[in-house]
Amino acid sequence: EQRRHMDYWPLHRSFADSATGAYERNTLGPFATESRDENGREELTIRPFYSSVYDPAKMERERIALYPIGRHRVSYRDYGAPDDRVRKNQFWILPLIYYSYFSPLPGESEYDYFAPFPLIIGGDSTDEGAHFSFIPFAGTLKGLLGQDEINYVLFPAYAELRRGEDR
């Protein structure tokens, strides 16, 4: 078991344990930090600009830029085909763009996206199919407002709501 420690405070501090692979580095006090614990959880932070965390126990990676403006989160599963292991993938730049991909099981997927100006909402699902909406002009929404499907043109001039087999 070999441990190393360097201390040039406030410019740089580091600790490393070669037996467990754990380490921690701090540069310029708390402004830039990088670490990995004995369980493999990795963290990189450059305050206040960027943060990245990878947790192998949760099989999840999260990146944040200029919190709370930009965020990207990906979670994985340890089964299924190698090209179908992403369970959830979310990306957003507040308040401009949102994208979310979700796969409950290998071979099944659903994604949604949103942009507020002009108000565009869309997505696709292996269960429900594709939908796209350009509010207030025309579109199809699925799984919103307690309805299975909403079709409209110049809302609220014409709207067709469907729940189950009822229209």
Side-chain angles (χ1 to χ4, degrees):
E1 185 173 321
Q2 185 169 359
R3 295 181 181 197
R4 293 185 335 202
H5 180 77
M6 282 195 302
D7 193 348
Y8 301 107
W9 190 87
L11 299 176
H12 180 78
R13 292 182 72 198
S14 67
F15 163 79
D17 186 345
S18 61
T20 63
Y23 66 86
E24 182 177 334
R25 296 181 190 107
N26 296 307
T27 304
L28 297 174
F31 293 109
T33 62
E34 180 183 19
S35 66
R36 178 174 41 205
D37 67 14
E38 58 276 355
N39 298 320
R41 184 178 189 275
E42 298 175 0
E43 185 173 339
L44 170 67
T45 304
I46 302 169
R47 291 176 180 87
F49 307 107
Y50 178 78
S51 173
S52 173
V53 176
Y54 173 68
D55 191 342
K58 293 181 180 179
M59 297 180 71
E60 183 174 276
R61 178 176 300 279
E62 181 173 34
R63 296 177 180 102
I64 298 173
L66 296 172
Y67 180 82
I69 295 172
R71 185 174 186 183
H72 179 233
R73 182 186 318 179
V74 180
S75 61
Y76 303 92
R77 58 175 151 249
D78 57 357
Y79 56 88
D83 61 344
D84 193 17
R85 296 215 173 151
V86 173
R87 186 178 162 279
K88 191 174 212 178
N89 186 356
Q90 293 179 315
F91 170 79
W92 60 88
I93 297 175
L94 296 178
L96 303 174
I97 298 170
Y98 171 79
Y99 170 83
S100 177
Y101 169 87
F102 177 68
S103 175
L105 296 169
E108 293 184 17
S109 66
E110 176 178 319
Y111 72 87
D112 295 300
Y113 54 89
F114 167 80
F117 187 77
L119 193 51
I120 296 173
I121 300 173
D124 196 2
S125 169
T126 53
D127 292 336
E128 298 175 344
H131 62 98
F132 178 80
S133 178
F134 185 23
I135 297 173
F137 302 107
T140 299
L141 299 169
K142 293 189 178 182
L144 292 175
L145 305 173
Q147 303 296 320
D148 289 334
E149 186 172 326
I150 302 170
N151 294 304
Y152 69 93
V153 176
L154 296 174
F155 187 81
Y158 171 79
E160 177 184 50
L161 309 170
R162 183 178 64 82
R163 183 181 305 157
E165 299 301 316
D166 300 331
R167 288 192 182 263

